[in-house]
């Protein structure tokens, strides 16, 4: 199985900050990586697909990059509604696997 | 519009089984794979497996092999996830999720509202 190691597991930041979250795959997954945002009590919402493509309706302050084994999600200028937990998901092969999540809290 | 409606919350005793349903509407049921994802309280997302509603083929995460069975009923556009030999660690919200025809690689995805399964003696 492909392991996804996400870092950091938690972080605090302020409105307006630039934030980067990283996911590393235990083996190459090309660009079969998606990023999700989840708020408490809500279903996950996909932000990014194919490593760097923005899901329709997602603000342009979100961006993704990477290929192979290392991927990043960047939020260019944090907004109050961005405080949530973020997950990466590899779907290169079965079983699909999520990273363990990054909880983004207000500083 | 696409909708995935899951069955209601369940309380089960250790060792029992639970069967969660996910009724789909608003699209051609047999054209899209369905995933199951779970989330224990305060924990992360965990991918459990996938079913092809067209032929019924499945793929499960190794962790659940032997305990999980995913099935579908094309006459009612419903997929099911049955988990057996329940233990307290299986207490979680279980979601069905339907990505696009190209999987998570584009398009839109849809999620059920989640079903809380509580395992307690």
């Amino acid at each position: 199985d492909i392991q996804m190691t996400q870092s950091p597991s938690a972080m605090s930041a302020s409105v307006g900050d630039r934030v980067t979250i990283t996911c590393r795959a235990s083996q190459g997954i090309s660009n079969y990586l998606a990023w999700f945002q989840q708020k408490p009590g809500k279903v996950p919402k996909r932000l990014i697909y194919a490593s760097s493509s923005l899901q329709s309706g997602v603000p342009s302050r979100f961006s993704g990059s990477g290929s192979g084994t290392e991927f990043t999600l960047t939020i260019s200028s944090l907004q109050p509604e961005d405080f949530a937990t973020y997950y990466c998901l590899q779907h290169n092969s079965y079983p699909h696997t999520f990273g363990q999540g990054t909880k983004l809290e207000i500083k | 519009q696409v909708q995935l409606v899951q069955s209601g919350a369940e309380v089960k005793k250790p060792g029992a089984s639970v069967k969660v349903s996910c009724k789909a509407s608003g699209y051609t049921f047999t054209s899209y794979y369905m995933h199951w994802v779970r989330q224990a309280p305060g924990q992360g997302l965990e991918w459990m497996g996938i079913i092809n509603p067209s032929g019924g083929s499945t793929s499960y995460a190794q962790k659940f092999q032997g305990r999980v069975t995913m099935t579908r009923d094309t006459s009612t556009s419903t997929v099911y996830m049955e988990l057996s030999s329940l233990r307290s660690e299986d207490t979680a919200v279980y979601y069905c999720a339907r990505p696009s025809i190209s999987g998570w690689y584009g398009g839109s995805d849809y999620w059920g509202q989640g079903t809380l399964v509580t395992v307690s003696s």
Side-chain angles (χ1 to χ4, degrees):
Chain A
D1 297 2
I2 297 174
Q3 310 303 317
M4 301 301 295
T5 303
Q6 192 172 333
S7 60
S9 55
M11 65 183 300
S12 58
S14 302
V15 172
D17 283 354
R18 180 183 180 89
V19 164
T20 297
I21 298 168
T22 298
C23 249
R24 287 190 175 85
S26 59
Q27 61 190 77
I29 59 169
S30 184
N31 67 340
Y32 289 91
L33 185 105
W35 289 98
F36 291 82
Q37 175 194 68
Q38 189 182 31
K39 297 182 179 179
K42 301 293 187 183
V43 301
K45 173 186 175 182
R46 187 163 48 140
L47 304 174
I48 301 284
Y49 64 92
S51 174
S52 59
S53 296
L54 197 65
Q55 192 70 23
S56 176
V58 173
S60 59
R61 62 181 180 274
F62 290 93
S63 64
S65 65
S67 183
T69 61
E70 188 144 342
F71 303 85
T72 59
L73 172 70
T74 300
I75 311 172
S76 60
S77 178
L78 270 175
Q79 298 302 299
E81 60 269 29
D82 299 338
F83 292 94
T85 301
Y86 294 84
Y87 297 92
C88 61
L89 169 71
Q90 74 79 19
H91 57 100
N92 178 74
S93 60
Y94 295 138
H96 294 178
T97 41
F98 287 95
Q100 59 266 55
T102 296
K103 186 172 184 179
L104 182 51
E105 297 176 309
I106 301 173
K107 185 183 284 184
Chain B
Q1 71 284 19
V2 175
Q3 278 196 305
L4 302 177
V5 179
Q6 296 184 223
S7 48
E10 303 258 17
V11 179
K12 296 291 183 181
K13 293 196 183 303
S17 297
V18 68
K19 191 170 187 176
V20 179
S21 67
C22 171
K23 183 173 176 57
S25 62
Y27 70 96
T28 302
F29 176 68
T30 51
S31 294
Y32 296 79
Y33 286 45
M34 193 75 76
H35 300 244
W36 286 91
V37 174
R38 78 175 187 180
Q39 186 168 38
Q43 302 302 308
L45 301 171
E46 184 171 31
W47 188 87
M48 298 182 68
I50 186 173
I51 182 167
N52 177 355
S54 178
S57 60
T58 56
S59 180
Y60 304 136
Q62 179 72 22
K63 175 176 180 176
F64 301 104
Q65 288 277 3
R67 284 208 303 144
V68 71
T69 305
M70 296 177 188
T71 56
R72 93 290 190 218
D73 182 342
T74 56
S75 68
T76 60
S77 299
T78 303
V79 295
Y80 300 90
M81 187 285 300
E82 184 170 21
L83 190 62
S84 62
S85 302
L86 289 169
R87 34 212 190 228
S88 58
E89 310 88 88
D90 295 317
T91 294
V93 176
Y94 291 76
Y95 295 103
C96 57
R98 196 227 77 177
S100 72
I101 273 186
S102 49
W104 301 107
Y105 209 59
S108 298
D109 54 295
Y110 299 88
W111 294 66
Q113 80 276 20
T115 296
L116 175 62
V117 175
T118 302
V119 183
S120 174
S121 53

